[in-house]
Amino acid sequence: MSEFGWGSTTDEVLEGKDLTGKTVFVTGGNSGLGQETGRAMAAKGAHVVLSGRSQGKLDEAVAAIKADHPEANVETIICDLSSLEAVRSCGAEARERFEKIDILINNAGVMACPLTQTTEGFEMQFGTNHVGHFELTRQLMPLVEAGSDKRIVNLSSRGHFIAPANLDDPNFENAAYEPWLSYGQSKTANVLFSVGLEDRFAAKGIHAYAVHPGGIDTNLGRHLSEEQAEALVQRVTTSDPSFEWKSIPQGAATSVWAATAEDVEGKGGVYCEDCGVAQIDDESSNKGVRSYALDKASADRLWVISEEMVGEKFA
């Protein structure tokens, strides 16, 4: 059992740790959980690379981090996960600029957006939350292999309870689009991707962890109407009567825990919540991980489909 829990913050989790010499790459680093993850790790000496779509927002994030920690070693890189061309451009630039990545945190995401497509025509939530990160991880894997920690953290969500990944129709070409159903499927895919990575790269010392940060009021909910936001709170509080929002430092704590904790050293392919490894639970509405999200056959099938979508094999 971890010594941390629901209310732990990033700084508490990293208390006493020295990340000097570590390179940490965080997607969606320009705000919310990504920015806080970068801040907390930079405060412990890590060389942090924040990626995002807007240079202006990235610059604001760096300024905010340096206001708290003037000595912070923070860089930025542009990455639009909804375009494979942009992801590849980011990967090429990263391989040129950086010698290694010790910890890769795939934090960015979109939630419950209207039906739209990525540049390549994938449904936006599956295409950004999973396919974009799949290709970015493929691009950055040589740097991860060159690192010492070799940890990959994929931000999932309890939203994976909504549905398994529909691998027959991931882009809603045949089924009617439903924003929350799509979100749930993409979050299940994030867990399955962690399982697939662990299966293929653990022998190289690379370990992958899926993370549920908890309920946090961030700009992830920017696409929600007032009615949708109210419905979300209603659904969450119905399934979990004791539900409370986490602060952003509490929400990012499980990401930094999965990235640094000795408890999970060499034990990837798991789903973490509240700074601990969650148990498989197909009944509970407020804790655990669904068995379908850790299913190896589904993870293998998703891997094949993802390689087809990006048109490249994962070396």
Side-chain angles (χ1 to χ4, degrees):
M1 280 294 286
S2 163
E3 64 190 287
F4 304 106
W6 182 94
S8 300
T9 66
T10 46
D11 290 337
E12 288 168 356
V13 168
L14 294 176
E15 180 72 37
K17 291 191 184 291
D18 181 3
L19 302 181
T20 304
K22 309 290 187 192
T23 299
V24 181
F25 190 110
V26 186
T27 71
N30 49 272
S31 66
L33 297 178
Q35 182 179 323
E36 169 59 16
T37 299
R39 180 209 65 79
M41 298 182 99
K44 291 297 181 181
H47 166 214
V48 172
V49 181
L50 301 179
S51 85
R53 290 179 300 172
S54 159
Q55 188 63 55
K57 289 182 179 174
L58 286 168
D59 291 343
E60 287 172 17
V62 172
I65 291 170
K66 286 189 175 268
D68 283 345
H69 310 285
E71 302 304 309
N73 181 5
V74 187
E75 293 188 66
T76 65
I77 191 168
I78 292 292
C79 186
D80 181 352
L81 290 160
S82 67
S83 160
L84 292 181
E85 185 182 349
V87 169
R88 287 170 184 143
S89 174
C90 172
E93 183 183 338
R95 292 193 303 273
E96 203 171 281
R97 281 173 57 188
F98 312 121
E99 292 179 3
K100 59 170 185 148
I101 293 173
D102 295 286
I103 299 165
L104 170 60
I105 301 184
N106 289 322
N107 163 86
V110 292
M111 179 174 80
C113 58
L115 178 58
T116 43
Q117 275 80 34
T118 66
T119 305
E120 286 73 27
F122 308 134
E123 185 275 313
M124 186 61 75
Q125 296 191 77
F126 186 79
T128 302
N129 295 351
H130 170 63
V131 181
H133 277 122
F134 180 89
E135 177 61 14
L136 181 64
T137 304
R138 193 181 77 81
Q139 290 284 329
L140 298 179
M141 193 56 95
L143 294 174
V144 175
E145 286 192 44
S148 56
D149 298 55
K150 298 183 171 62
R151 291 196 192 189
I152 299 171
V153 177
N154 295 314
L155 269 281
S156 178
S157 162
R158 191 168 291 153
H160 86 275
F161 282 17
I162 297 169
N166 182 351
L167 302 180
D168 293 316
D169 188 23
N171 295 309
F172 286 84
E173 291 164 320
N174 303 311
Y177 178 75
E178 204 285 304
W180 284 113
L181 178 61
S182 167
Y183 179 68
Q185 292 180 180
S186 75
K187 294 292 101 180
T188 296
N190 294 146
V191 190
L192 291 172
F193 181 38
S194 305
V195 172
L197 282 167
E198 185 71 17
D199 206 32
R200 288 159 180 78
F201 292 97
K204 289 189 169 188
I206 298 169
H207 298 285
Y209 309 86
V211 162
H212 166 51
I216 309 103
D217 198 5
T218 69
N219 69 354
L220 183 64
R222 62 191 175 276
H223 296 292
L224 303 184
S225 67
E226 214 171 293
E227 292 79 13
Q228 285 177 310
E230 285 173 10
L232 170 62
V233 173
Q234 181 66 44
R235 182 165 72 199
V236 168
T237 50
T238 300
S239 65
D240 182 4
S242 62
F243 174 81
E244 289 179 65
W245 292 107
K246 286 188 179 187
S247 68
I248 288 176
Q250 289 171 329
T254 304
S255 294
V256 301
W257 180 84
T260 62
E262 290 174 12
D263 305 26
V264 287
E265 180 62 48
K267 302 173 192 165
V270 293
Y271 172 94
C272 307
E273 62 184 357
D274 297 338
C275 302
V277 176
Q279 300 300 308
I280 292 176
D281 192 326
D282 288 330
E283 303 296 328
S284 173
S285 60
N286 64 2
K287 68 178 193 304
V289 56
R290 296 295 191 246
S291 56
Y292 57 69
L294 296 176
D295 179 65
K296 185 184 175 325
S298 298
D300 288 344
R301 193 165 166 226
L302 174 66
W303 195 276
V304 170
I305 290 168
S306 303
E307 287 185 330
E308 289 170 357
M309 284 176 149
V310 303
E312 299 278 357
K313 289 284 187 192
F314 211 119

